[in-house]
Amino acid sequence: AIQLTQSPSSLSASVGDRVTITCRASQGISSALAWYQQKPGKAPKLLIYDASSLESGVPSRFSGSGSGTDFTLTISSLQPEDFATYYCQQFNSYPRSFGQGTKLEIK
Amino acid sequence: EVQLVESGGGLVQPGGSLRLSCAASGFTFSSYSMNWVRQAPGKGLEWVSYISSSSSTIYYADSVKGRFTISRDNAKNSLYLQMNSLRAEDTAVYYCAREGVITIFGVVKNWFDPWGQGTLVTVSS
């Protein structure tokens, strides 16, 4: 099974900051990676698929990059509504594993 | 509006059974593969099971294999998860999620969207 390791596990940042979250796969997965945002008590929301394709309706301050084993999610200028937990997920093989999550908190 | 609504969660004793349902609306259910994902209290997301649009292909996480059964009824626009021999570690919010897919230059791209609101399963005596 492919393991996904996100770093950091938690992050404190301020409105307007640029933040980057990393997801590393235990083996190459090409670009078969998605990113989700989850707020407390809510279902996850798709942000990015195919490592770098922005889902329709998602603000352009979100971007994804990477291929193979190393991926990043970048938020160019944090907004108050962006404080949440972020997960990566691989679609290279089953089981469809998720990273452990990165909690983004207000500094 | 594309919508998924789970139901069937609740409190069950260890060793018991429960059947979750996911009602789909706003899209052609029979054209999409579907998944169940769970989240234990305060923990991360764990993929549980996959079923293809025609039910011809099914996958399970090792943690539920042999105990859970995924199924669907395309005529009723519904997805199900039959959970048997439940354990305390199965306590979680269970989400159903539609699997989106496109093919670009012969390469398949996948994602989960949308997700339902989740239904809580608590396994406790």
Side-chain angles (χ1 to χ4, degrees):
Chain A
I2 296 173
Q3 295 186 19
L4 297 179
T5 304
Q6 289 183 231
S7 60
S9 296
S10 63
L11 174 61
S12 293
S14 301
V15 172
D17 284 354
R18 177 185 180 90
V19 300
T20 298
I21 298 169
T22 296
C23 178
R24 176 162 289 175
S26 59
Q27 63 189 75
I29 60 171
S30 186
S31 61
L33 189 99
W35 288 96
Y36 303 90
Q37 176 193 67
Q38 186 180 35
K39 296 182 178 179
K42 300 295 186 180
K45 173 189 172 184
L46 176 68
L47 299 175
I48 302 281
Y49 65 94
D50 192 33
S52 60
S53 296
L54 189 69
E55 168 68 353
S56 177
V58 174
S60 59
R61 62 181 180 272
F62 291 92
S63 64
S65 66
S67 182
T69 60
D70 293 314
F71 302 86
T72 59
L73 173 70
T74 299
I75 309 173
S76 60
S77 178
L78 273 175
Q79 298 303 300
E81 60 268 30
D82 300 336
F83 292 94
T85 300
Y86 293 84
Y87 295 93
C88 56
Q89 182 193 17
Q90 64 83 19
F91 286 90
N92 182 76
S93 61
Y94 288 91
R96 296 285 206 230
S97 44
F98 290 89
Q100 81 279 14
T102 295
K103 187 174 184 179
L104 180 53
E105 299 175 305
I106 301 173
K107 183 182 287 185
Chain B
E1 178 192 6
V2 175
Q3 193 171 18
L4 298 172
V5 178
E6 301 94 337
S7 61
L11 175 64
V12 60
Q13 293 188 339
S17 298
L18 212 55
R19 189 195 197 204
L20 305 184
S21 298
C22 170
S25 60
F27 65 100
T28 304
F29 180 72
S30 59
S31 296
Y32 287 86
S33 299
M34 298 294 295
N35 294 266
W36 288 99
V37 177
R38 68 184 181 183
Q39 186 169 36
K43 302 299 183 182
L45 301 171
E46 180 188 14
W47 172 82
V48 172
S49 186
Y50 161 93
I51 186 168
S52 64
S53 57
S54 64
S55 303
S56 60
T57 302
I58 286 174
Y59 296 108
Y60 297 99
D62 286 346
S63 57
V64 307
K65 200 173 295 183
R67 301 186 299 121
F68 290 11
T69 302
I70 191 172
S71 63
R72 64 190 295 163
D73 185 336
N74 287 341
K76 295 183 177 180
N77 292 333
S78 293
L79 174 72
Y80 306 102
L81 187 67
Q82 177 67 43
M83 304 185 296
N84 298 332
S85 303
L86 282 162
R87 307 166 180 166
E89 54 265 35
D90 296 319
T91 294
V93 173
Y94 285 74
Y95 297 100
C96 60
R98 185 182 74 174
E99 183 153 338
V101 59
I102 57 172
T103 302
I104 301 176
F105 300 120
V107 179
V108 177
K109 320 289 185 180
N110 307 74
W111 60 87
F112 285 1
D113 182 70
W115 299 55
Q117 86 289 349
T119 188
L120 176 62
V121 173
T122 302
V123 184
S124 175
S125 55

